[in-house]
């Protein structure tokens, strides 16, 4: 029996191919890394840092997300800010505009709230066909920072 409506699935060997088959529109490829790169990054980081999930609707893989959990934002291990947020969001080209991106952001926010996190971070590439309007429309606010050339946004979770 399958459920209808979007849901998150943990990454497993059985859904790996479905996840790596997710492709955004060609004009969006500049703004997000492919799922395969995300899974490789999840693998090389310490356990518990990456939270990768396949977004399913019924039996259809419609997207992929990966959150980051409790990282030293500046990477210096010197007591810098510890942050959590959305690391990657890939919604399949043919599935965009159906609410799956919103579902993904809300799902990460719910997980972070469950863990006691008060703010959710995201970064994005500016530019035509970039995700700035999407994130700003969900309530993220630019905080004046950049990270690796990307705009940093923050969403209050309380």
């Amino acid at each position: 029996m399958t459920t209808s409506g979007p849901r998150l699935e943990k990454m497993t060997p059985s859904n790996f191919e479905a996840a790596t088959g997710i492709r955004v529109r060609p004009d969006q490829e500049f703004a997000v890394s492919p799922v395969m790169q995300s899974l490789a990054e999840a693998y090389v980081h310490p356990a518990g840092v990456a939270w990768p999930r396949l977004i399913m609707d019924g039996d259809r893989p419609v997207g992929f997300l990966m959150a980051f959990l409790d990282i030293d934002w500046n990477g210096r291990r010197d007591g810098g800010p510890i942050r959590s947020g959305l690391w990657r969001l890939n919604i399949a080209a043919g599935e965009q505009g159906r609410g799956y991106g919103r579902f993904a952001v809300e799902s990460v926010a719910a997980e972070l709230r469950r863990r006691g996190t008060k703010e959710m971070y995201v970064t994005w590439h500016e530019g035509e066909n970039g995700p700035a309007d999407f994130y700003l429309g969900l309530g993220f606010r630019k905080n004046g920072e950049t990270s690796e050339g990307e705009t940093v946004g923050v969403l209050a979770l309380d």
Side-chain angles (χ1 to χ4, degrees), residues 80-97:
I82 301 300
R83 295 179 177 172
S84 298
L86 183 61
W87 192 350
R88 298 277 161 62
L89 178 57
N90 306 62
I91 302 298
E95 303 291 350
Q96 294 181 14

Side-chain angles (χ1 to χ4, degrees), residues 20-83:
T20 58
I22 301 288
R23 301 281 186 277
V24 298
R25 295 189 333 241
D27 62 332
Q28 297 169 327
E29 290 174 350
F30 78 96
V32 66
S33 298
V35 173
M36 184 69 81
Q37 180 176 336
S38 296
L39 292 173
E41 287 177 316
Y43 177 78
V44 301
H45 281 82
V49 168
W51 195 73
R53 296 294 188 266
L54 180 62
I55 306 166
M56 298 288 296
D57 191 350
D59 292 332
R60 267 184 10 263
V62 297
F64 171 86
L65 69 81
M66 188 162 75
F68 60 90
L69 305 171
D70 300 326
I71 65 162
D72 179 340
W73 185 258
N74 297 324
R76 296 187 307 242
R77 301 186 193 281
D78 65 354
I82 301 300
R83 295 179 177 172

